[in-house]
Amino acid sequence: NSPGYPTEVACCNAAYASQASGFCFSNLPSPPTMSPTDVGGLDVYYPDYTLSWLDGVCTNARPLPSGRPTYDTPLACCKAAYPGQISGACFAELPTPPTSAPT
């Protein structure tokens, strides 16, 4: 009679911890890796060219499309990529959008 484990990872850790091949862990639905995938947004912002220029915004979503210009801040991205954008869509998406009546 074998002991029960709450998860497959717990089973691998307890029953196969010294397994040199790593076979138990490699067969998990989401096996652990030595190079974890980054989560969250990028440290740079780029124009989202999947939208029309009128609706265009800047994003830091992964992955960064090849050849896309990058900027340190969303404001810098909006200023460079969407100058004169009448709709104001890019600036409206900023964490603290500029207003016409500053305080």
Side-chain angles (χ1 to χ4, degrees), residues 71-93:
Y71 305 91
D72 291 336
T73 66
L75 178 60
C77 179
C78 286
K79 284 181 173 181
Y82 300 103
Q85 184 187 51
I86 303 224
S87 67
C90 192
F91 290 111
E93 288 291 313

Side-chain angles (χ1 to χ4, degrees), residues 44-91:
V44 294
Y45 294 83
Y46 61 90
D48 182 355
Y49 293 150
T50 65
L51 303 170
S52 71
W53 190 84
L54 189 64
D55 297 325
V57 296
C58 290
T59 182
N60 67 340
R62 293 177 187 276
L64 174 63
S66 178
R68 197 67 55 95
T70 61
Y71 305 91
D72 291 336
T73 66
L75 178 60
C77 179
C78 286
K79 284 181 173 181
Y82 300 103
Q85 184 187 51
I86 303 224
S87 67
C90 192
F91 290 111

